[in-house]
Amino acid sequence: MNESRKEKIILGARQKMRKYPYLKGIITLGLTVWLLVYYICDWFVSNTKKLISLAVLLVFFIISCSFCAPMFQGESETQQQVFTEHLETEDITLATETETIEVETGVITEKAQSMEAEEVVNPEAEDSDDIDNYSADEILANYDSENLELFEEESGEVSKDDWSLLLVNNRHPIPEDYEFTLGTIKGSLQCDERIIPSFLGMLQAAKEDGITLEVCSPYRTLDRQEYLFDRKIVRYMKRGMSYMDAYKLAARVVNVPGTSEHQIGLALDIYTDSYKTLDEGFGETAAGKWLREHCAEYGFILRYPKGKEYITGIEYEPWHFRYVGKTAAGEIMEQGLTLEEYVERLE
């Protein structure tokens, strides 16, 4: 239909609207529909070549796909069954030619494993120049004898609702309404003020046994945790890992922001003057062994023990100690439990 024909129809519609004003709405609607159909048809006519080209490409695509071999073509029934069972397991392996990360089982191999061997250290230790760390002598010098008295004996009754047993991990983020009062250990080092007497008692007891302890990372703000976590991701990505793989590996070394016990003031990172590298080697020092043996006497536990990574989701950290209260700490350390297992038993 040419333009003159379109103009005649529009002109005719206007004349009818003047002649039959009470039918103006119906005539306008009919004209609108007609123009819409007209322009659609005109577009198809004007773009015939493009539409034909698109149709040809689509046909070639379908034909090429038909030549692709099916996933299991040529494989034996046994191979197909093994492959299917592998996909159905909970531990789905994300693999590349140079790195393999098994998310659920925590097995990190090849390239990722070599990275982890270099990087499994407390992230705060990498920033030792811009954070405070104090020895037991420096901390204890600020307190009088009354502050150094051991905390009172507990009733022995433990409840999963106790503030000291708040479970915080990647599956249990910090409650939005959680509140506590910060107390100052020394300088910029802070923690939940309720655990300071117990912590001071542990420092004093270690000193009397000839063990010099130092604290480098108690309470952390959310901003600080985000900085440490994001920096790990960037570091792994610079070594060739994808963002998702870097994120998963970083989460095994640094708690995801909002899920760190440091943010609730109940966790402390501790080392000694003769071994200030926070890695697995600290666990073999005299200080590391003393803490494992005596921490429960003061209400603390080794939060991320070796061999329990599949439960905690965090690599073995012999320097990370968490306050849970004397009764709970004694049961956890004596029975070789994690906080996750202990809380689950209480429930």
Side-chain angles (χ1 to χ4, degrees):
M1 183 179 297
N2 55 34
E3 289 294 323
S4 60
R5 176 60 175 167
K6 180 182 71 172
E7 293 175 357
K8 289 180 180 179
I9 292 177
I10 294 174
L11 181 60
R14 289 176 178 173
Q15 292 174 348
K16 289 182 180 179
M17 283 189 284
R18 286 195 293 268
K19 186 176 181 180
Y20 307 104
Y22 54 89
L23 297 177
K24 184 176 180 180
I26 297 176
I27 296 172
T28 301
L29 178 61
L31 180 62
T32 302
V33 173
W34 182 87
L35 287 174
L36 179 63
V37 173
Y38 170 80
Y39 284 117
I40 291 175
C41 294
D42 182 67
W43 184 88
F44 275 100
V45 172
S46 302
N47 294 275
T48 302
K49 293 182 179 180
K50 294 180 180 179
L51 292 173
I52 293 175
S53 299
L54 181 62
V56 171
L57 288 175
L58 182 61
V59 170
F60 274 107
F61 175 76
I62 296 174
I63 294 174
S64 62
C65 289
S66 66
F67 286 99
C68 296
M71 183 181 295
F72 297 115
Q73 185 172 352
E75 293 185 356
S76 65
E77 293 183 359
T78 302
Q79 289 175 313
Q80 296 179 26
Q81 182 178 1
V82 170
F83 186 84
T84 302
E85 292 176 352
H86 175 69
L87 291 179
E88 293 175 350
T89 60
E90 294 182 358
D91 300 330
I92 299 177
T93 303
L94 301 176
T96 65
E97 294 180 356
T98 59
E99 61 187 40
T100 301
I101 301 179
E102 293 184 14
V103 177
E104 300 295 334
T105 60
V107 179
I108 303 176
T109 60
E110 296 181 6
K111 183 178 180 181
Q113 188 177 49
S114 64
M115 290 182 186
E116 187 185 34
E118 299 175 8
E119 298 295 335
V120 179
V121 295
N122 187 294
E124 291 281 19
E126 300 169 1
D127 281 342
S128 57
D129 293 337
D130 64 1
I131 61 171
D132 285 345
N133 56 66
Y134 296 101
S135 66
D137 288 340
E138 293 173 317
I139 294 173
L140 295 173
N142 286 350
Y143 298 91
D144 54 34
S145 58
E146 293 182 0
N147 296 121
L148 298 180
E149 292 180 358
L150 298 183
F151 54 94
E152 297 179 0
E153 291 293 331
E154 300 174 12
S155 65
E157 297 180 0
V158 178
S159 168
K160 66 180 180 62
D161 296 321
D162 291 345
W163 61 269
S164 58
L165 291 177
L166 176 64
L167 180 60
V168 175
N169 56 29
N170 288 345
R171 297 179 299 280
H172 298 84
I174 301 170
E176 293 183 2
D177 59 349
Y178 184 75
E179 296 181 353
F180 65 98
T181 302
L182 280 172
T184 299
I185 299 172
K186 182 177 174 62
S188 65
L189 299 184
Q190 295 179 300
C191 64
D192 188 317
E193 65 174 6
R194 293 171 288 188
I195 77 172
I196 290 180
S198 303
F199 175 61
L200 295 177
M202 185 166 68
L203 289 184
Q204 180 65 26
K207 180 180 178 181
E208 292 172 357
D209 288 345
I211 302 297
T212 302
L213 301 178
E214 295 191 17
V215 185
C216 69
S217 181
Y219 170 72
R220 293 180 197 153
T221 64
L222 175 61
D223 288 344
R224 180 68 178 176
Q225 193 68 26
E226 289 175 343
Y227 163 73
L228 296 173
F229 187 75
D230 291 343
R231 185 180 60 179
K232 278 292 183 185
I233 293 177
V234 171
R235 181 166 298 180
Y236 289 138
M237 290 179 67
K238 285 182 177 179
R239 298 190 180 186
M241 299 184 73
S242 68
Y243 174 81
M244 289 305 300
D245 288 345
Y247 183 98
K248 293 164 188 171
L249 185 55
R252 295 184 61 83
V253 182
V254 186
N255 289 102
V256 175
T259 68
S260 172
E261 293 179 330
H262 287 285
Q263 291 178 242
I264 60 173
L266 297 180
L268 303 161
D269 287 344
I270 305 173
Y271 52 30
T272 184
D273 58 351
S274 61
Y275 197 101
K276 293 190 176 184
T277 303
L278 298 188
D279 57 18
E280 291 193 13
F282 174 73
E284 301 305 315
T285 65
K289 293 177 181 178
W290 188 94
L291 283 168
R292 281 201 308 275
E293 183 178 350
H294 297 283
C295 65
E297 300 170 17
Y298 306 92
F300 290 88
I301 61 170
L302 175 62
R303 180 64 178 90
Y304 303 120
K306 195 168 189 175
K308 293 296 184 77
E309 294 86 349
Y310 66 99
I311 296 176
T312 64
I314 298 294
E315 297 296 327
Y316 169 49
E317 293 188 356
W319 62 84
H320 182 106
F321 289 85
R322 154 74 191 264
Y323 184 82
V324 295
K326 187 175 179 180
T327 300
E331 295 175 352
I332 289 173
M333 294 301 292
E334 181 179 351
Q335 299 175 39
L337 302 175
T338 62
L339 183 57
E340 284 82 1
E341 293 172 306
Y342 186 74
V343 170
E344 183 178 358
R345 292 187 181 188
L346 292 178
E347 293 176 348

